């Protein structure tokens, strides 16, 4: 029986082998656990060490396929886009959409802006007007105090852009914010922003304490927290595809280009008015964006969080992509915040993230925003195209066939036979099980 009532003290300080042993003991299958986890260690100890040091208590590596979507043409440049994702049909869907749009003008993209936001949240019982009066002095103190942190960023063309005092006392008693905007150029910039913000908090406390304008209780100010915001509506990108409606003629054998465009438009409009559909619709967009974010060492949780908040910006969660059919033209676009980096952080530490960026031609952060959003739009197009024509399961289950066969430890020969057999048949777990059983029973 696996133990459930244990307390482990000082686990993080143990050696990796010792941690493995404890975990294996608690799982009651020591040998198998240790062997399994060790079998996924990198044979090159130096490489494994890099992974061990990314995080605490690393026991092994968790493999996810690293694939590539070729033919992603954005603003006239073709990219080989690396994608890290476990879902069988995502790379295939992105690739087939990218290929189709390659012959119809490719993807077009513009970065709206690259402004990032951080906040110092504080509690204060003082007179706001006094703070406004000395605002320029305070913010210049803040700039001075962070000069050593910002010097390099400024050399690269970025740095602190602006400070804004926000009165939130109508929501929470005595609560204010200093909202700071930054340009972090090609880096994601999280550490840079957070280091600046923590320093601003210190300057703020000292400033009200020492400035003679503030008296009595006004000298006491509590910094609640200082942290970047992952909501980056002003670090956003717009990406679109467009073609004549007639060009959509061959996309389905049952529908004309016009019928396809109209059905597609209705499907997207449903995602604009219904949150249940919108969530799945946007998930399909993030299938592509997350895969590119992971492959390039970017923080996909931050990107998703920003995207879903943006999808709710009008007061109700809705689709991030939209369609317009006008004057015989079909236009499909996606607009969303996409804070990515191409220098610093994991982008240079993870050997494969570095390789991904090389594969993309070492893009700037702006270029990567355009590429990742193009892949998101490609996946969205593929999903909605399937949904309004043959349905999603046919293609999805075809791709999933390998997973089911692997579940049955199928041999190469059995796999080939199964692929041949299911070429023109519906794949389901039950059907594949039956096929394998019958094959093995001769
Ligand atoms: C599956 O990962 C994603 C889809 O459900 C997206 C969609 O429904 O639009 C196919």
């Amino acid at each position: 029986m696996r133990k459930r009532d244990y307390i482990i003290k000082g686990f993080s300080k143990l050696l990796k082998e010792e941690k493995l042993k404890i975990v294996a003991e608690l799982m009651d299958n020591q040998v198998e656990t240790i062997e399994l986890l060790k079998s996924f260690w990198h044979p090159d100890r130096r490489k494994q060490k890099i992974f061990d040091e990314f995080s605490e208590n690393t026991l092994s590596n968790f493999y996810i396929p690293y694939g590539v979507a070729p033919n992603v043409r954005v603003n006239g440049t073709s990219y080989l886009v690396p994608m890290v994702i476990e879902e069988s049909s995502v790379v295939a869907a992105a690739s087939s959409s990218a290929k189709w749009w390659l012959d119809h003008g490719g993807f077009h993209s513009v970065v709206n802006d690259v402004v990032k936001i951080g906040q110092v949240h504080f509690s204060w019982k003082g007179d706001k007007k006094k703070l406004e009066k000395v605002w320029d002095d305070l913010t210049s103190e803040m700039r001075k105090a962070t000069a050593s942190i910002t010097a390099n960023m400024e050399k690269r063309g970025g740095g602190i852009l602006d400070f804004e005092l926000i009165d939130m006392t109508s929501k929470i008693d005595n609560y204010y914010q200093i909202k700071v905007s930054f340009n972090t150029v090609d880096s994601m910039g999280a550490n840079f922003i957070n280091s600046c913000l923590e320093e601003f908090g210190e300057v703020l406390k000292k400033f009200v304490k020492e400035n003679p304008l503030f008296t009595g209780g006004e000298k006491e100010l509590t910094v609640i927290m200082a942290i970047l915001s992952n909501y980056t509506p002003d670090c956003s990108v717009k990406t679109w595809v467009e073609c004549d409606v007639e060009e959509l003629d061959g996309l389905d054998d049952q529908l004309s280009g016009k019928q396809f465009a109209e059905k597609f438009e209705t499907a997207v409009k449903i995602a604009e008015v219904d949150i249940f559909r919108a969530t799945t619709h946007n998930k399909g967009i993030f299938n592509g964006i997350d895969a590119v974010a992971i492959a390039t060492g970017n923080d996909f949780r931050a990107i998703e969080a920003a995207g879903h908040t943006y999808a709710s910006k009008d007061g109700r969660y809705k689709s991030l992509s939209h369609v317009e059919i006008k004057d015989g033209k079909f236009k499909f676009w996606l607009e969303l915040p996409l804070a990515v980096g191409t220098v610093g952080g994991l982008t240079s530490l993870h050997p494969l993230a570095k390789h991904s960026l090389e594969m993309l031609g070492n893009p700037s952060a702006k270029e990567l925003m355009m590429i990742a959003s193009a892949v998101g739009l490609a996946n969205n197009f593929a999903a909605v195209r399937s949904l309004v024509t043959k349905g999603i399961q046919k293609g999805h289950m075809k791709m999933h066939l390998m997973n089911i066969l692997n579940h049955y430890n199928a041999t190469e020969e059995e796999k080939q036979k199964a692929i041949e057999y299911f070429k023109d048949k519906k794949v389901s777990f039950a059907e594949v099980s039956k096929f394998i059983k019958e094959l093995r029973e001769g």
Side-chain angles (χ1 to χ4, degrees):
M1 256 305 274
R2 192 182 293 185
K3 298 186 194 76
R4 295 279 188 202
D5 58 346
Y6 52 82
I7 297 173
I8 310 173
K9 288 197 178 140
F11 188 74
S12 68
K13 296 193 183 67
L14 299 175
L15 295 172
K16 189 165 151 191
E17 293 275 359
E18 294 169 330
K19 289 176 191 163
L20 260 181
K21 200 160 166 278
I22 292 182
V23 170
E25 266 166 25
L26 287 168
M27 291 189 64
D28 260 0
N29 59 353
Q30 281 196 53
V31 178
E32 291 91 324
T33 298
I34 293 177
E35 268 177 15
L36 176 80
L37 292 176
K38 280 192 167 179
S39 72
F40 289 96
W41 285 7
H42 199 287
D44 179 337
R45 288 172 69 124
R46 278 171 313 168
K47 289 205 173 113
Q48 183 55 48
K49 199 157 183 299
I50 298 175
F51 290 97
D52 289 350
E53 290 174 357
F54 280 150
S55 174
E56 182 141 308
N57 296 341
T58 305
L59 298 178
S60 189
N61 308 304
F62 188 98
Y63 287 18
I64 296 189
Y66 179 94
V68 63
N71 300 316
V72 180
R73 198 168 178 82
V74 187
N75 296 340
T77 302
S78 292
Y79 296 94
L80 273 175
V81 185
M83 298 177 76
V84 171
I85 188 150
E86 86 300 346
E87 194 177 321
S88 353
S89 53
V90 173
V91 177
S95 306
S96 89
S97 263
K99 176 70 181 60
W100 195 87
W101 282 106
L102 182 73
D103 301 329
H104 298 84
F107 296 89
H108 313 272
S109 189
V110 282
V111 167
N112 299 325
D113 212 337
V114 288
V115 177
K116 289 168 187 166
I117 299 295
Q119 297 163 302
V120 180
H121 305 265
F122 64 97
S123 260
W124 188 54
K125 290 195 179 132
D127 177 356
K128 182 182 125 190
K129 286 205 180 69
K130 289 188 188 173
L131 206 51
E132 284 168 345
K133 203 166 164 203
V134 290
W135 189 244
D136 289 346
D137 293 342
L138 171 63
T139 56
S140 90
E141 286 295 314
M142 286 177 169
R143 283 184 191 272
K144 251 189 263 162
T146 49
S148 62
I149 311 175
T150 56
N152 262 338
M153 195 59 89
E154 281 165 11
K155 263 187 223 151
R156 290 194 268 131
I160 301 161
L161 300 176
D162 197 20
F163 295 89
E164 198 184 338
L165 177 65
I166 305 202
D167 184 347
M168 300 287 285
T169 52
S170 64
K171 305 261 188 245
I172 298 176
D173 287 348
N174 313 318
Y175 166 44
Y176 296 89
Q177 291 177 1
I178 297 182
K179 187 176 173 201
V180 192
S181 49
F182 298 87
N183 177 352
T184 61
V185 201
D186 285 327
S187 65
M188 209 325 223
N191 285 331
F192 165 77
I193 295 176
N194 288 334
S195 302
C196 288
L197 293 169
E198 289 191 1
E199 198 57 45
F200 298 155
E202 292 304 315
V203 173
L204 177 64
K205 277 193 289 186
K206 194 160 174 274
F207 190 87
V208 293
K209 191 166 243 133
E210 291 175 2
N211 192 302
L213 189 65
F214 302 105
T215 53
E218 281 181 329
K219 291 196 171 293
E220 292 310 315
L221 179 152
T222 308
V223 172
I224 306 291
M225 56 191 163
I227 181 76
L228 65 73
S229 169
N230 284 122
Y231 185 43
T232 54
D234 293 321
C235 180
S236 67
V237 60
K238 181 175 176 179
T239 300
W240 69 98
V241 284
E242 58 190 341
C243 66
D244 290 338
V245 166
E246 286 97 73
E247 289 180 62
L248 301 166
D249 267 347
L251 275 179
D252 185 59
D253 42 17
Q254 313 283 321
L255 301 172
S256 70
K258 185 166 178 289
Q259 287 168 324
F260 172 85
E262 284 166 359
K263 207 169 170 197
F264 192 102
E265 183 189 34
T266 307
V268 176
K269 285 208 152 54
I270 291 170
E272 286 171 353
V273 299
D274 177 79
I275 56 166
F276 284 91
R277 175 58 204 149
T279 307
T280 318
H281 181 95
N282 289 343
K283 189 270 184 186
I285 294 171
F286 283 109
N287 272 345
I289 294 180
D290 285 358
V292 179
I294 297 172
T296 54
N298 275 287
D299 182 345
F300 66 97
R301 287 89 54 210
I303 293 169
E304 282 241 5
H308 293 300
T309 308
Y310 191 77
S312 317
K313 70 179 183 341
D314 299 330
R316 187 176 37 79
Y317 186 85
K318 60 183 183 191
S319 157
L320 287 164
S321 64
H322 311 278
V323 171
E324 184 186 73
I325 304 171
K326 206 171 147 197
D327 304 329
K329 286 243 178 252
F330 170 86
K331 182 170 176 181
F332 179 44
W333 75 94
L334 166 67
E335 188 159 13
L336 84 170
L338 230 170
V340 290
T342 55
V343 298
L346 216 62
T347 58
S348 43
L349 292 175
H350 194 301
L352 285 180
K354 206 166 160 205
H355 179 261
S356 295
L357 291 167
E358 278 163 22
M359 198 190 270
L360 291 168
N362 289 318
S364 64
K366 281 186 181 172
E367 202 178 343
L368 185 57
M369 287 165 81
M370 299 194 264
I371 299 166
S373 60
V375 175
L377 191 65
N379 274 108
N380 191 208
F381 181 78
V384 178
R385 173 188 171 180
S386 294
L387 289 168
V388 300
T389 55
K390 56 189 186 308
I392 209 79
Q393 279 312 84
K394 202 164 170 225
H396 194 77
M397 290 309 282
K398 274 251 161 355
M399 297 301 301
H400 195 52
L401 175 61
M402 267 314 143
N403 290 342
I404 306 175
L405 291 169
N406 283 333
H407 175 84
Y408 285 108
N409 291 322
T411 62
E412 273 317 305
E413 199 189 330
E414 287 171 334
K415 282 181 186 171
Q416 286 314 318
K417 285 190 176 148
I419 290 169
E420 190 52 38
Y421 177 81
F422 284 102
K423 220 187 215 156
D424 50 4
K425 292 183 188 62
K426 228 178 173 146
V427 177
S428 72
F429 200 88
E431 283 304 314
V432 179
S433 312
K434 194 165 148 243
F435 175 83
I436 285 287
K437 194 165 171 263
E438 283 172 5
L439 192 68
R440 286 179 181 172
E441 283 170 357

